[in-house]
Amino acid sequence: MIVLIFCQDVSTRWNSTYDMIERVLEQQLAVSAVLLQRRNLVHLEVSPNEWRILEDIVQLLRPFKIATLHLSGEKYPTISALGPLLGEIKKKVAVDVSDSVVITEFKRALRDDINSRYQHPDIQMLLNKASYLDPRFKSLTHLSSFQQSEVSDAILQE
């Protein structure tokens, strides 16, 4: 018998929220059974809507998990991959009309956090220059035509 331990959310560990919710979802039947079986825990019972929200949050956090694993698993400098990865993540956190209120707010919070960390023009240019100089990302497909020209011109001026 395999014993699975629930993961705890740790504020200093980027993927711990994802891991915690994913494990709870994996063990949904067991969690529900325990909560139904014990009368003193009935107030903790998770509604079908709450399970759906948890599933949506896991889907939303999955690109962050993948990006973190990719960046931390590289043996070479990874700054050149950060711009394209952020571009993909920003697409994932774009609010959609079909999103629930909870997911909309969660996406906005994620977007605002990303912007607060990477929106400064100097940081953007640094990331874009690094991507331009890396043969894997030189085409800068994550940027608009204007931004691509801006980066190319900046590199040529240096």
Side-chain angles (χ1 to χ4, degrees):
M1 174 186 222
I2 297 175
V3 176
L4 295 175
I5 298 171
F6 283 104
C7 306
Q8 290 187 330
D9 187 27
V10 179
S11 63
T12 58
R13 300 286 180 233
W14 287 33
N15 291 319
S16 65
T17 303
Y18 174 86
D19 294 336
M20 177 187 67
I21 296 172
E22 186 179 50
R23 180 62 55 85
V24 168
L25 289 170
E26 286 173 6
Q27 298 301 314
Q28 181 177 352
L29 292 175
V31 169
S32 294
V34 168
L35 294 175
L36 284 173
Q37 188 178 38
R38 300 199 176 163
R39 289 283 166 225
N40 62 331
L41 299 178
V42 75
H43 65 284
L44 298 175
E45 191 174 337
V46 183
S47 73
N49 186 50
E50 291 169 325
W51 285 116
R52 267 191 304 283
I53 290 169
L54 289 173
E55 290 168 359
D56 290 345
I57 289 172
V58 164
Q59 290 299 317
L60 187 55
L61 291 177
R62 185 167 286 129
F64 290 87
K65 170 85 173 192
I66 293 167
T68 303
L69 291 175
H70 174 75
L71 291 173
S72 63
E74 289 285 323
K75 294 179 181 173
Y76 301 101
T78 57
I79 191 170
S80 60
L82 191 53
L85 284 171
L86 285 171
E88 288 302 310
I89 286 174
K90 284 180 180 180
K91 289 178 192 174
K92 300 288 186 187
V93 298
V95 175
D96 188 270
V97 294
S98 65
D99 291 336
S100 69
V101 173
V102 172
I103 295 302
T104 297
E105 288 305 312
F106 195 66
K107 283 182 173 183
R108 285 187 179 137
L110 290 170
R111 183 198 61 217
D112 291 348
D113 187 64
I114 291 168
N115 288 340
S116 73
R117 295 170 190 265
Y118 300 105
Q119 206 58 22
H120 192 278
D122 292 342
I123 293 173
Q124 284 289 306
M125 185 55 78
L126 174 68
L127 295 177
N128 293 337
K129 284 178 180 179
S131 295
Y132 183 84
L133 294 171
D134 186 325
R136 298 173 297 171
F137 309 113
K138 186 177 178 101
S139 62
L140 302 175
T141 56
H142 64 287
L143 300 177
S144 69
S145 299
F146 174 75
Q147 290 170 314
Q148 290 172 3
S149 296
E150 208 175 39
V151 173
S152 177
D153 293 344
I155 293 284
L156 292 174
Q157 287 178 2
E158 289 183 16

mmCIF file of all heavy atoms in Angstrom, residues 73-100:
data_model
loop_
_atom_site.group_PDB
_atom_site.id
_atom_site.type_symbol
_atom_site.label_atom_id
_atom_site.label_comp_id
_atom_site.label_asym_id
_atom_site.label_seq_id
_atom_site.Cartn_x
_atom_site.Cartn_y
_atom_site.Cartn_z
ATOM 1 N N GLY A 73 15.905 23.441 -13.871
ATOM 2 C CA GLY A 73 16.544 22.213 -14.326
ATOM 3 C C GLY A 73 17.620 22.428 -15.369
ATOM 4 O O GLY A 73 18.349 21.505 -15.720
ATOM 5 N N GLU A 74 17.757 23.645 -15.864
ATOM 6 C CA GLU A 74 18.754 23.946 -16.888
ATOM 7 C C GLU A 74 20.161 23.917 -16.293
ATOM 8 O O GLU A 74 20.366 24.319 -15.154
ATOM 9 C CB GLU A 74 18.485 25.320 -17.505
ATOM 10 C CG GLU A 74 17.265 25.361 -18.396
ATOM 11 C CD GLU A 74 17.480 24.690 -19.738
ATOM 12 O OE1 GLU A 74 18.576 24.796 -20.303
ATOM 13 O OE2 GLU A 74 16.520 24.054 -20.206
ATOM 14 N N LYS A 75 21.111 23.493 -17.106
ATOM 15 C CA LYS A 75 22.504 23.477 -16.671
ATOM 16 C C LYS A 75 23.242 24.739 -17.119
ATOM 17 O O LYS A 75 24.378 24.958 -16.772
ATOM 18 C CB LYS A 75 23.213 22.245 -17.235
ATOM 19 C CG LYS A 75 22.668 20.953 -16.671
ATOM 20 C CD LYS A 75 23.374 19.765 -17.252
ATOM 21 C CE LYS A 75 22.771 18.504 -16.660
ATOM 22 N NZ LYS A 75 23.251 17.301 -17.266
ATOM 23 N N TYR A 76 22.568 25.540 -17.939
ATOM 24 C CA TYR A 76 23.157 26.756 -18.481
ATOM 25 C C TYR A 76 22.301 27.952 -18.070
ATOM 26 O O TYR A 76 21.177 27.784 -17.616
ATOM 27 C CB TYR A 76 23.240 26.642 -20.008
ATOM 28 C CG TYR A 76 24.062 25.457 -20.443
ATOM 29 C CD1 TYR A 76 23.443 24.287 -20.869
ATOM 30 C CD2 TYR A 76 25.450 25.490 -20.386
ATOM 31 C CE1 TYR A 76 24.196 23.182 -21.238
ATOM 32 C CE2 TYR A 76 26.204 24.398 -20.759
ATOM 33 C CZ TYR A 76 25.583 23.242 -21.183
ATOM 34 O OH TYR A 76 26.324 22.155 -21.541
ATOM 35 N N PRO A 77 22.816 29.157 -18.249
ATOM 36 C CA PRO A 77 22.035 30.344 -17.879
ATOM 37 C C PRO A 77 20.651 30.331 -18.546
ATOM 38 O O PRO A 77 20.506 29.941 -19.705
ATOM 39 C CB PRO A 77 22.881 31.505 -18.402
ATOM 40 C CG PRO A 77 24.273 30.961 -18.439
ATOM 41 C CD PRO A 77 24.122 29.501 -18.778
ATOM 42 N N THR A 78 19.656 30.755 -17.788
ATOM 43 C CA THR A 78 18.273 30.636 -18.268
ATOM 44 C C THR A 78 17.582 31.968 -18.493
ATOM 45 O O THR A 78 16.411 31.980 -18.851
ATOM 46 C CB THR A 78 17.452 29.829 -17.250
ATOM 47 O OG1 THR A 78 17.536 30.474 -15.983
ATOM 48 C CG2 THR A 78 17.917 28.398 -17.148
ATOM 49 N N ILE A 79 18.272 33.075 -18.327
ATOM 50 C CA ILE A 79 17.604 34.367 -18.462
ATOM 51 C C ILE A 79 17.006 34.533 -19.859
ATOM 52 O O ILE A 79 15.965 35.155 -20.018
ATOM 53 C CB ILE A 79 18.550 35.540 -18.110
ATOM 54 C CG1 ILE A 79 17.738 36.837 -18.006
ATOM 55 C CG2 ILE A 79 19.677 35.657 -19.110
ATOM 56 C CD1 ILE A 79 18.507 37.998 -17.436
ATOM 57 N N SER A 80 17.630 33.926 -20.861
ATOM 58 C CA SER A 80 17.116 34.065 -22.224
ATOM 59 C C SER A 80 15.767 33.365 -22.406
ATOM 60 O O SER A 80 14.986 33.738 -23.276
ATOM 61 C CB SER A 80 18.118 33.511 -23.238
ATOM 62 O OG SER A 80 18.356 32.136 -22.988
ATOM 63 N N ALA A 81 15.478 32.382 -21.588
ATOM 64 C CA ALA A 81 14.197 31.667 -21.682
ATOM 65 C C ALA A 81 13.092 32.369 -20.909
ATOM 66 O O ALA A 81 11.910 32.107 -21.142
ATOM 67 C CB ALA A 81 14.354 30.242 -21.161
ATOM 68 N N LEU A 82 13.464 33.269 -20.024
ATOM 69 C CA LEU A 82 12.464 33.894 -19.156
ATOM 70 C C LEU A 82 11.459 34.740 -19.919
ATOM 71 O O LEU A 82 10.256 34.664 -19.670
ATOM 72 C CB LEU A 82 13.155 34.718 -18.069
ATOM 73 C CG LEU A 82 12.284 35.223 -16.938
ATOM 74 C CD1 LEU A 82 11.500 34.103 -16.291
ATOM 75 C CD2 LEU A 82 13.130 35.934 -15.897
ATOM 76 N N GLY A 83 11.907 35.531 -20.872
ATOM 77 C CA GLY A 83 10.990 36.367 -21.660
ATOM 78 C C GLY A 83 9.931 35.546 -22.387
ATOM 79 O O GLY A 83 8.729 35.809 -22.244
ATOM 80 N N PRO A 84 10.350 34.549 -23.179
ATOM 81 C CA PRO A 84 9.343 33.710 -23.847
ATOM 82 C C PRO A 84 8.421 32.970 -22.874
ATOM 83 O O PRO A 84 7.215 32.865 -23.125
ATOM 84 C CB PRO A 84 10.189 32.716 -24.651
ATOM 85 C CG PRO A 84 11.480 33.428 -24.883
ATOM 86 C CD PRO A 84 11.707 34.259 -23.656
ATOM 87 N N LEU A 85 8.969 32.484 -21.763
ATOM 88 C CA LEU A 85 8.130 31.806 -20.771
ATOM 89 C C LEU A 85 7.110 32.770 -20.164
ATOM 90 O O LEU A 85 5.933 32.422 -19.996
ATOM 91 C CB LEU A 85 8.979 31.185 -19.670
ATOM 92 C CG LEU A 85 9.711 29.903 -20.028
ATOM 93 C CD1 LEU A 85 10.692 29.515 -18.924
ATOM 94 C CD2 LEU A 85 8.738 28.771 -20.286
ATOM 95 N N LEU A 86 7.540 33.980 -19.854
ATOM 96 C CA LEU A 86 6.609 34.976 -19.315
ATOM 97 C C LEU A 86 5.520 35.312 -20.333
ATOM 98 O O LEU A 86 4.361 35.504 -19.962
ATOM 99 C CB LEU A 86 7.356 36.243 -18.907
ATOM 100 C CG LEU A 86 8.160 36.153 -17.623
ATOM 101 C CD1 LEU A 86 9.017 37.406 -17.447
ATOM 102 C CD2 LEU A 86 7.244 35.971 -16.423
ATOM 103 N N GLY A 87 5.901 35.369 -21.603
ATOM 104 C CA GLY A 87 4.912 35.618 -22.648
ATOM 105 C C GLY A 87 3.831 34.548 -22.668
ATOM 106 O O GLY A 87 2.637 34.856 -22.779
ATOM 107 N N GLU A 88 4.240 33.294 -22.548
ATOM 108 C CA GLU A 88 3.269 32.197 -22.526
ATOM 109 C C GLU A 88 2.418 32.231 -21.268
ATOM 110 O O GLU A 88 1.210 32.009 -21.306
ATOM 111 C CB GLU A 88 3.988 30.851 -22.641
ATOM 112 C CG GLU A 88 4.553 30.570 -24.008
ATOM 113 C CD GLU A 88 3.485 30.594 -25.100
ATOM 114 O OE1 GLU A 88 2.434 29.941 -24.946
ATOM 115 O OE2 GLU A 88 3.705 31.297 -26.109
ATOM 116 N N ILE A 89 3.042 32.524 -20.148
ATOM 117 C CA ILE A 89 2.294 32.578 -18.882
ATOM 118 C C ILE A 89 1.275 33.712 -18.917
ATOM 119 O O ILE A 89 0.144 33.550 -18.458
ATOM 120 C CB ILE A 89 3.264 32.701 -17.687
ATOM 121 C CG1 ILE A 89 3.944 31.343 -17.460
ATOM 122 C CG2 ILE A 89 2.551 33.167 -16.441
ATOM 123 C CD1 ILE A 89 5.034 31.344 -16.421
ATOM 124 N N LYS A 90 1.658 34.856 -19.476
ATOM 125 C CA LYS A 90 0.721 35.977 -19.561
ATOM 126 C C LYS A 90 -0.509 35.609 -20.391
ATOM 127 O O LYS A 90 -1.618 36.037 -20.095
ATOM 128 C CB LYS A 90 1.404 37.214 -20.138
ATOM 129 C CG LYS A 90 2.315 37.897 -19.141
ATOM 130 C CD LYS A 90 2.973 39.127 -19.745
ATOM 131 C CE LYS A 90 3.877 39.809 -18.758
ATOM 132 N NZ LYS A 90 4.518 41.004 -19.323
ATOM 133 N N LYS A 91 -0.313 34.805 -21.427
ATOM 134 C CA LYS A 91 -1.463 34.331 -22.216
ATOM 135 C C LYS A 91 -2.389 33.476 -21.354
ATOM 136 O O LYS A 91 -3.608 33.569 -21.459
ATOM 137 C CB LYS A 91 -0.991 33.510 -23.421
ATOM 138 C CG LYS A 91 -0.326 34.315 -24.502
ATOM 139 C CD LYS A 91 0.131 33.378 -25.608
ATOM 140 C CE LYS A 91 1.059 34.061 -26.576
ATOM 141 N NZ LYS A 91 1.618 33.129 -27.578
ATOM 142 N N LYS A 92 -1.798 32.645 -20.516
ATOM 143 C CA LYS A 92 -2.590 31.744 -19.663
ATOM 144 C C LYS A 92 -3.370 32.488 -18.595
ATOM 145 O O LYS A 92 -4.416 32.023 -18.157
ATOM 146 C CB LYS A 92 -1.688 30.698 -18.989
ATOM 147 C CG LYS A 92 -0.932 29.824 -19.946
ATOM 148 C CD LYS A 92 -1.824 28.842 -20.627
ATOM 149 C CE LYS A 92 -0.989 27.904 -21.470
ATOM 150 N NZ LYS A 92 -1.779 27.030 -22.279
ATOM 151 N N VAL A 93 -2.858 33.641 -18.140
ATOM 152 C CA VAL A 93 -3.550 34.379 -17.086
ATOM 153 C C VAL A 93 -4.453 35.477 -17.637
ATOM 154 O O VAL A 93 -5.005 36.267 -16.870
ATOM 155 C CB VAL A 93 -2.578 34.955 -16.021
ATOM 156 C CG1 VAL A 93 -1.836 33.841 -15.324
ATOM 157 C CG2 VAL A 93 -1.636 35.977 -16.605
ATOM 158 N N ALA A 94 -4.619 35.507 -18.945
ATOM 159 C CA ALA A 94 -5.554 36.474 -19.533
ATOM 160 C C ALA A 94 -6.976 36.074 -19.131
ATOM 161 O O ALA A 94 -7.355 34.902 -19.213
ATOM 162 C CB ALA A 94 -5.418 36.490 -21.053
ATOM 163 N N VAL A 95 -7.740 37.045 -18.682
ATOM 164 C CA VAL A 95 -9.109 36.784 -18.231
ATOM 165 C C VAL A 95 -9.978 36.443 -19.431
ATOM 166 O O VAL A 95 -9.900 37.071 -20.479
ATOM 167 C CB VAL A 95 -9.673 38.015 -17.473
ATOM 168 C CG1 VAL A 95 -11.122 37.807 -17.101
ATOM 169 C CG2 VAL A 95 -8.834 38.293 -16.237
ATOM 170 N N ASP A 96 -10.798 35.423 -19.257
ATOM 171 C CA ASP A 96 -11.723 34.959 -20.290
ATOM 172 C C ASP A 96 -13.142 35.145 -19.780
ATOM 173 O O ASP A 96 -13.390 35.016 -18.587
ATOM 174 C CB ASP A 96 -11.440 33.479 -20.583
ATOM 175 C CG ASP A 96 -12.211 32.967 -21.772
ATOM 176 O OD1 ASP A 96 -13.337 32.482 -21.566
ATOM 177 O OD2 ASP A 96 -11.694 33.063 -22.897
ATOM 178 N N VAL A 97 -14.086 35.425 -20.699
ATOM 179 C CA VAL A 97 -15.470 35.646 -20.282
ATOM 180 C C VAL A 97 -16.083 34.422 -19.613
ATOM 181 O O VAL A 97 -17.012 34.544 -18.826
ATOM 182 C CB VAL A 97 -16.366 36.095 -21.467
ATOM 183 C CG1 VAL A 97 -15.952 37.464 -21.964
ATOM 184 C CG2 VAL A 97 -16.333 35.078 -22.595
ATOM 185 N N SER A 98 -15.545 33.242 -19.885
ATOM 186 C CA SER A 98 -16.095 32.020 -19.290
ATOM 187 C C SER A 98 -15.529 31.741 -17.893
ATOM 188 O O SER A 98 -15.973 30.809 -17.226
ATOM 189 C CB SER A 98 -15.827 30.823 -20.202
ATOM 190 O OG SER A 98 -14.431 30.591 -20.299
ATOM 191 N N ASP A 99 -14.559 32.544 -17.447
ATOM 192 C CA ASP A 99 -13.959 32.343 -16.127
ATOM 193 C C ASP A 99 -14.943 32.679 -15.020
ATOM 194 O O ASP A 99 -15.712 33.634 -15.122
ATOM 195 C CB ASP A 99 -12.712 33.221 -15.949
ATOM 196 C CG ASP A 99 -11.545 32.785 -16.815
ATOM 197 O OD1 ASP A 99 -11.492 31.604 -17.194
ATOM 198 O OD2 ASP A 99 -10.685 33.632 -17.106
ATOM 199 N N SER A 100 -14.882 31.906 -13.952
ATOM 200 C CA SER A 100 -15.686 32.219 -12.772
ATOM 201 C C SER A 100 -15.111 33.467 -12.097
ATOM 202 O O SER A 100 -14.001 33.905 -12.404
ATOM 203 C CB SER A 100 -15.654 31.044 -11.786
ATOM 204 O OG SER A 100 -14.357 30.920 -11.228
#
